[in-house]
Amino acid sequence: MKIVATFKRVPTTEAQAKVGGDGKTLDPAGWQYMASFYDEIAVEAALQTKEKHGGDVTVLTLGPSEASKEVREFLARGADSGVILKDADPAARDPRWTAKALAAKVQALGADVVFTGRVATDRDNAAVGPMLATYLGWACVTEVVALEISGAAGTAQRETEHGVETVAFSLPAVITCNKGLNEPRRPNLKGIMAAKSKPIAEESPSDAGAQAVVLSVELPPARKAGRIVGEGLAGVPALVDALKNEAKIL
Amino acid sequence: MSTILVFVEQSHGAPRRASLECLSAARATGLSVAAVVAGEGAEQAAAGLGAFGATRVVALTGAARWSADAVASDVAAVARELGAKAFLASATSTGKDIAPRVAALLDSTLLSDCTALTAEGGTLVATRPWLAGKALAKVTSTAPVFCATTRPNVFPAAESGGTAEVVSRPASNGGRASVSAVAEKSGGKLDVKEAPIVVSGGRGLRGPENFHLLEELAAAFGSAATGASRAVVDAGWRPHAEQVGQTGKTVSPKLYVAVGISGAIQHLAGMRTSKVIVAINKDADAPIFKIADFGLVGDALEVLPALTKAVAAARAR
């Protein structure tokens, strides 16, 4: 089986937001980066699928050359090859652009299944997975917490606000992965050594152009300073009073 | 007048509140609002949508099973037929499953999880959070159809008192993926994203066995959901579906109560847009107090039972 896992290089969750000089981007000074949290789960799902069904895993990202650090990490965990669709200006992308660039490469790779995170933790669109599937004309199950593939079909479970859905799908498919699907492994020494000789290709992405236009970006308004209403059990009546008479909630 | 098409979710014939909020957000733009509703109960749900601002409603009926790709292709067909200038859905699990596919079928990008939507100079402009709300971007789209999802609990679900022309049409069958079973949540338990009140717990509860105290407080408030910090989800004390923060859910309830949560930046990002924030923590220097409207310095296990009792008493009066 030809398996692809896509990931996005994003600022770590500790990153602070600071508006850039143009007022339309964030200033990345001081940021550290990582593979988006849910994409780690996607790579693990890809590796487990390979272990169960055979085949090989390509890790695919749209991003800067620096993403080779994360690609190398995933190769050390057991992926076979990496592809970086080099994108000089990640801030300018929108989900349609990303999905189209990934779709072109996924098609060229002849993949049977693509795993990706349910959302990237920088722009929070949660759109690329299902858009990718739609451009490919494939099945897609989003926010998956359990997965079973057998032959050219599979079943997946997704958690929604109203309960757990079981979805039957046919391959080829895009699966967007949610926390709970698996626990991403850490690489071992043998994997780290093996990763050094695995190929990472850098290519130019297809360029659909962005439709989303950022007009401005700002930090959320600071919350009005609150107050400590009290301490311990003695503070409980004051808190309930505040909820009732100030917040008008009770 | 140009049309904005809203995908309305429903459950057993009742439109979901997040979708009514989405309809209201659409109506507030001044565009003519059409709605499309699918699944078992679609016709029943369609009948009530005029009151929330829809002037035309298409009910897609008769599908044997729910299939997101089949629904999306039907919705995109409705959008094309109406010549819709914009398409909206709510940023719920179902909305996030359908909207990107509809957008792709219309070859339009998607602006997700918007917290404001206005018509400015003949175009729509949305505000959407970046980095789970650490920054807010004002964005528009040059796409053929302006496609966006709206965050639940942010827009009011305002009745307009209007009526809609409702048409039913057969839904497509046979998508590439379809729902074969649904295990519905028991007892109408609310999701953190939709609940008007969220009561969240962290390490300060000291163990999974103490979370019943939090559930009892949620029950005392009435329509409240229980949430959790990343630390306690990672520790396996609570399910991931409850996690609030940058790698969980971003919430905007009218009241957020953080119990025994210190307030890591990634947690604050996920709940800072709550209307009122209450923090209970035994560490008076915990960062959570900096964004809380009302803080109580105290031990969660000591304070919770008393607070539950007091809240229940206040509501009973």
Side-chain angles (χ1 to χ4, degrees):
Chain A
M1 193 172 334
K2 181 73 200 173
I3 304 157
V4 172
T6 73
F7 81 89
K8 186 176 186 186
R9 181 180 182 262
V10 300
T12 59
T13 48
E14 287 76 36
Q16 300 271 4
K18 191 177 147 222
V19 178
D22 62 357
K24 295 179 180 183
T25 52
L26 293 177
D27 180 357
W31 284 0
Q32 305 286 314
Y33 293 86
M34 63 177 193
S36 177
F37 174 80
Y38 297 99
D39 295 339
E40 296 245 351
I41 297 166
V43 172
E44 179 61 32
L47 296 175
Q48 290 185 8
T49 302
K50 174 187 162 182
E51 285 159 1
K52 219 164 166 184
H53 303 280
D56 68 284
V57 174
T58 300
V59 172
L60 172 63
T61 187
L62 181 67
S65 290
E66 287 83 351
S68 62
K69 179 173 167 279
E70 287 77 28
V71 173
R72 195 67 75 190
E73 159 80 18
F74 293 139
L75 295 178
R77 292 186 198 180
D80 299 282
S81 59
V83 178
I84 299 172
L85 298 174
K86 262 183 76 170
D87 180 1
D89 187 9
R93 295 178 216 164
D94 64 22
R96 169 181 164 274
W97 180 2
T98 305
K100 284 197 158 185
L102 294 177
K105 188 62 202 176
V106 165
Q107 217 142 31
L109 288 167
D112 300 298
V113 60
V114 174
F115 294 98
T116 188
R118 74 163 180 89
V119 65
T121 56
D122 57 348
R123 292 297 173 87
D124 306 320
N125 278 296
V128 169
M131 289 186 95
L132 167 63
T134 305
Y135 284 124
L136 291 167
W138 289 11
C140 178
V141 191
T142 59
E143 306 193 318
V144 168
V145 294
L147 178 70
E148 196 65 55
I149 293 175
S150 134
T155 55
Q157 292 194 330
R158 53 189 308 267
E159 269 175 11
T160 71
E161 292 86 356
H162 39 98
V164 177
E165 290 179 357
T166 303
V167 182
F169 63 94
S170 56
L171 291 180
V174 175
I175 303 294
T176 85
C177 303
N178 200 357
K179 191 165 173 175
L181 179 60
N182 57 48
E183 281 296 325
R185 70 191 69 186
R186 296 288 143 220
N188 56 28
L189 189 61
K190 194 174 148 220
I192 293 166
M193 297 308 290
K196 289 188 203 284
S197 58
K198 289 178 179 173
I200 301 179
E202 289 198 9
E203 299 172 12
S204 298
S206 71
D207 186 358
Q211 293 177 336
V213 181
V214 179
L215 303 172
S216 64
V217 59
E218 53 189 42
L219 301 187
R223 290 190 72 95
K224 217 175 80 219
R227 64 171 207 274
I228 302 286
V229 296
E231 279 189 36
L233 282 178
V236 170
L239 177 56
V240 172
D241 183 68
L243 287 177
K244 194 171 177 170
N245 298 317
E246 289 180 60
K248 314 261 183 230
I249 280 167
L250 287 172
Chain B
M1 189 161 60
S2 40
T3 298
I4 184 163
L5 177 66
V6 176
F7 171 70
V8 171
E9 294 169 48
Q10 54 92 22
S11 170
H12 308 294
R16 294 186 74 85
R17 184 180 168 84
S19 292
L20 299 178
E21 294 167 4
C22 191
L23 274 177
S24 298
R27 192 164 57 92
T29 64
L31 272 69
S32 151
V33 179
V36 56
V37 55
E40 216 177 308
E43 279 177 308
Q44 198 188 334
L49 300 181
F52 287 88
T55 53
R56 300 180 68 174
V57 183
V58 178
L60 301 164
T61 59
R65 281 174 159 193
W66 180 268
S67 162
D69 56 286
V71 170
S73 104
D74 287 347
V75 171
V78 171
R80 280 192 211 103
E81 199 177 305
L82 296 176
K85 187 183 169 186
F87 169 72
L88 288 186
S90 53
T92 55
S93 292
T94 303
K96 285 187 294 183
D97 199 30
I98 300 291
R101 305 176 202 243
V102 174
L105 290 168
L106 300 172
D107 202 21
S108 297
T109 202
L110 180 71
L111 308 172
S112 303
D113 214 16
C114 298
T115 54
L117 184 69
T118 52
E120 292 179 20
T123 179
L124 293 174
V125 173
T127 300
R128 56 177 312 269
W130 284 356
L131 299 171
K134 289 176 191 169
L136 298 172
K138 257 178 101 170
V139 285
T140 185
S141 162
T142 61
V145 181
F146 179 99
C147 296
T149 56
T150 55
R151 175 176 289 191
N153 263 337
V154 171
F155 298 90
E159 289 202 45
S160 66
T163 53
E165 172 205 345
V166 179
V167 294
S168 293
R169 68 175 61 174
S172 298
N173 264 305
R176 293 176 191 90
S178 60
V179 174
S180 57
V182 182
E184 295 207 16
K185 268 188 191 166
S186 54
K189 201 169 178 235
L190 284 168
D191 184 81
V192 283
K193 255 193 111 78
E194 290 186 304
I197 298 178
V198 176
V199 181
S200 281
R203 285 256 182 224
L205 272 100
R206 298 211 280 276
E209 68 280 8
N210 295 323
F211 272 75
H212 69 97
L213 297 173
L214 205 67
E215 279 161 8
E216 284 153 20
L217 176 59
F221 273 118
S223 41
T226 49
S229 73
R230 179 175 178 170
V232 302
V233 171
D234 283 350
W237 296 2
R238 299 300 286 180
H240 177 244
E242 290 193 353
Q243 186 179 326
V244 173
Q246 204 171 350
T247 55
K249 292 175 178 167
T250 36
V251 301
S252 304
K254 67 178 189 191
L255 172 65
Y256 187 88
V257 184
V259 184
I261 293 175
S262 62
I265 179 167
Q266 64 87 18
H267 186 83
L268 301 184
M271 44 63 81
R272 62 171 300 140
T273 55
S274 306
K275 274 128 220 134
V276 175
I277 297 174
V278 169
I280 299 171
N281 201 295
K282 63 179 178 185
D283 175 9
D285 296 323
I288 191 80
F289 286 122
K290 291 203 174 65
I291 70 157
D293 300 286
F294 307 114
L296 179 62
V297 179
D299 183 272
L301 301 188
E302 185 189 16
V303 167
L304 274 175
L307 182 59
T308 300
K309 212 182 264 179
V311 166
R315 288 191 72 229
R317 270 202 290 276

